[in-house]
Amino acid sequence: MIINGNIQAVAGAYGVANVKSRASVAAQRAYGGQAADEVSISSQSQNFSSVLRKLQKSDDVRMDRVNELRSAIASGKYHVSGDDIAASMLSMRY
């Protein structure tokens, strides 16, 4: 999985929008309940934000997979062709 700065920047934007939304509620109360500017975040954006938080809390290392690969390497059963490595490197995007 590749997570670059763009996703985190988007999540940061949602956090800022949420702060503005709370500020608009406070402004509305300050002006006696008159309508004030308001920011609403779509449910899709809120879902994205919650998924991102779960990903950030998850472990980066899957130890079960690491142990499986260690065993395969130690027993000499792990072989990857150079073509597969090159294809994988070329398919990565930064």
Side-chain angles (χ1 to χ4, degrees):
M1 170 182 5
I2 299 174
I3 298 177
N4 60 24
N6 294 337
I7 292 175
Q8 292 172 351
V10 170
Y14 290 129
V16 170
N18 196 14
V19 171
K20 289 179 184 176
S21 179
R22 282 188 234 126
S24 70
V25 171
Q28 188 174 7
R29 289 183 188 148
Y31 291 106
Q34 295 178 356
D37 291 340
E38 184 177 306
V39 174
S40 62
I41 300 173
S42 70
S43 61
Q44 184 179 10
S45 299
Q46 292 172 357
N47 289 339
F48 172 80
S49 182
S50 68
V51 168
L52 182 62
R53 278 194 297 272
K54 288 177 185 176
L55 284 173
Q56 289 171 337
K57 289 180 183 179
S58 69
D59 292 333
D60 290 341
V61 178
R62 294 176 21 208
M63 288 309 295
D64 58 331
R65 183 73 175 135
V66 170
N67 291 332
E68 180 183 323
L69 291 171
R70 277 187 185 152
S71 297
I73 291 168
S75 66
K77 295 179 182 177
Y78 184 76
H79 299 286
V80 179
S81 74
D83 291 340
D84 290 344
I85 293 171
S88 180
M89 291 173 67
L90 292 173
S91 70
M92 295 178 82
R93 289 183 263 164
Y94 292 96

